[in-house]
Amino acid sequence: MNILAIDTSNQVLGVSILKDDQIVGEVMTNLTKNHSVRLMPAIENLMNEVALKPDQLDRIVVAKGPGSYTGVRIGISTAKTMAWALNIPVVGVSSLEVLAYQGRFFSDYICPFFDARRGLVFTGLYQWIDHKLVNVLEEKNLLMDDVLKELGIKKKSVLFLSPDISIYKEGIQQSLGELAVIPEGPYHIPQAGHLGLAGITKEADSTHTLTPNYLRLAEAESNWLRQQKGNKNHG
């Protein structure tokens, strides 16, 4: 099975091509650059590099968020368009789940997160059980302080993984002490190869109804809903 994995859900742009569970090619940048301009050339160049034609692809796997609203939309729109044009399955995978793969050999809790500003994070809790990544606590948009309080009650080691780790590292260590495990820099960057691996066994989504997983409304949509509610109250 030839799989194309696409992740533009956060600052990292990742594209990987897998043959079954083996990576045959991968491109990754961790730069604040426009994904919309760079994604298709990255896919085209990588496919040329590994001598794979579009009609040889069997499945497309895409990171569906949470993360950057614009980045998530770019990845999902590209994946859906290609899947529809090639008439192949598309699979959406949580961006947090992909990051949790970096803790593959950690036995206790894994807490992947992305900064959501104002002390909020997109996060969930995962654990590897019987060689499978299990979502222990549902993914949510929460205050990091509340996340740390809840983890402190569990009295278990927690591996923290995030490209935004520097923002919260001090608070995590103060709150959890030796229970907090924070690895070196490269472990905090999601890998497109892990995204492809996560999507091999998942059931395909409907190409037309696959939607981003924002975990909260975009600010413009949230403001619009508040305005509509206010209009009703004054009506």
Side-chain angles (χ1 to χ4, degrees):
M1 182 187 290
N2 293 319
I3 299 164
L4 171 66
I6 299 169
D7 188 356
T8 58
S9 58
N10 287 277
Q11 180 171 294
V12 167
L13 182 151
V15 179
S16 186
I17 294 173
L18 292 83
K19 187 168 185 62
D20 299 322
D21 64 348
Q22 297 294 315
I23 296 173
V24 293
E26 188 166 274
V27 172
M28 188 272 278
T29 60
N30 184 21
L31 304 165
T32 51
K33 286 190 171 184
N34 193 332
H35 292 335
S36 63
V37 174
R38 300 167 61 239
L39 177 57
M40 282 309 298
I43 293 171
E44 185 177 8
N45 291 340
L46 183 59
M47 292 192 67
N48 287 337
E49 188 69 24
V50 302
L52 195 70
K53 292 185 169 61
D55 62 8
Q56 292 176 292
L57 289 172
D58 299 298
R59 171 173 287 217
I60 297 176
V61 183
V62 62
K64 64 179 182 179
S68 155
Y69 296 118
T70 303
V72 172
R73 283 197 297 269
I74 290 166
I76 289 216
S77 297
T78 302
K80 288 171 66 171
T81 301
M82 289 184 68
W84 180 81
L86 297 169
N87 194 28
I88 58 175
V90 63
V91 178
V93 177
S94 162
S95 302
L96 290 167
E97 181 180 340
V98 176
L99 192 51
Y101 264 73
Q102 298 282 79
R104 176 66 181 85
F105 300 105
F106 188 77
S107 59
D108 284 337
Y109 291 142
I110 301 167
C111 181
F113 69 87
F114 300 113
D115 179 45
R117 298 181 185 176
R118 300 170 189 163
L120 291 160
V121 291
F122 300 119
T123 190
L125 201 62
Y126 284 87
Q127 188 170 15
W128 286 93
I129 301 172
D130 294 332
H131 308 292
K132 290 183 180 178
L133 187 60
V134 177
N135 184 209
V136 180
L137 282 179
E138 184 185 0
E139 295 179 356
K140 290 182 180 177
N141 181 213
L142 298 167
L143 285 167
M144 179 55 106
D145 287 346
D146 292 341
V147 174
L148 294 176
K149 282 175 191 170
E150 188 166 352
L151 291 175
I153 293 168
K154 295 183 182 297
K155 304 290 184 188
K156 245 185 168 181
S157 294
V158 184
L159 176 67
F160 288 90
L161 299 169
S162 175
D164 307 307
I165 192 68
S166 61
I167 301 171
Y168 297 97
K169 184 175 181 178
E170 187 177 339
I172 291 169
Q173 290 173 329
Q174 286 178 352
S175 181
L176 295 181
E178 292 183 357
L179 291 176
V181 180
I182 301 176
E184 296 86 0
Y187 289 93
H188 297 282
I189 305 303
Q191 305 291 322
H194 289 154
L195 170 62
L197 192 61
I200 288 177
T201 56
K202 288 187 186 293
E203 192 173 330
D205 291 278
S206 164
T207 305
H208 298 294
T209 59
L210 173 61
T211 53
N213 173 28
Y214 293 132
L215 286 187
R216 71 177 181 190
L217 296 174
E219 191 170 355
E221 188 176 358
S222 181
N223 291 339
W224 182 84
L225 288 172
R226 274 201 300 272
Q227 184 181 359
Q228 297 308 304
K229 189 175 180 181
N231 291 342
K232 283 183 181 177
N233 290 340
H234 290 98

